């Protein structure tokens, strides 16, 4: 699954057409994501789902964009 990740000044926010979550830390965001995916049956017991979080570069200064993309993209594995 792919989501877009941004920061709103207080929270890290991930969203796509199926979900939207926000938490003040990436660790908390990962926990909330796993909880939501398990609750919605998006990952079943014994399965592993990879979630690609592509950072929305429009939220950072333009001069930094050529250097920052690889710093913000991340992949999270959610285990059922």
């Amino acid at each position: 699954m792919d989501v877009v990740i941004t920061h709103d000044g207080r929270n890290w926010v991930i969203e796509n057409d199926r979900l939207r979550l926000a938490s003040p830390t990436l660790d908390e965001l990962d926990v909330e994501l796993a909880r939501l995916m398990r609750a919605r049956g998006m990952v079943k017991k014994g399965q592993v789902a990879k979630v690609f979080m592509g950072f929305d570069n429009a939220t950072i200064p333009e001069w930094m964009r050529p250097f920052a993309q690889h710093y913000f993209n991340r992949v999270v594995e959610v285990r059922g």
Side-chain angles (χ1 to χ4, degrees):
M1 173 172 46
D2 292 347
V3 296
V4 174
I5 186 168
T6 59
H7 197 276
D8 67 9
R10 273 191 19 213
N11 292 305
W12 290 101
V13 180
I14 58 169
E15 61 186 315
N16 65 12
D17 59 337
R18 298 171 70 185
L19 61 90
R20 183 181 194 285
L21 292 171
S23 290
T25 69
L26 290 173
D27 287 338
E28 291 175 67
L29 188 66
D30 294 350
V31 169
E32 285 299 308
L33 175 64
R35 181 197 59 76
L36 178 90
M37 289 181 70
R38 290 181 193 121
R40 290 188 180 176
M42 297 167 79
V43 62
K44 307 231 184 294
K45 189 172 182 165
Q47 290 181 329
V48 177
K50 290 187 178 183
V51 179
F52 173 76
M53 298 181 180
F55 192 78
D56 180 0
N57 287 334
T59 64
I60 58 176
E62 191 172 327
W63 66 267
M64 189 185 291
R65 292 179 196 168
F67 309 105
Q69 185 174 13
H70 64 280
Y71 292 115
F72 293 107
N73 292 342
R74 58 196 301 258
V75 176
V76 175
E77 289 187 352
V78 177
R79 298 181 186 283

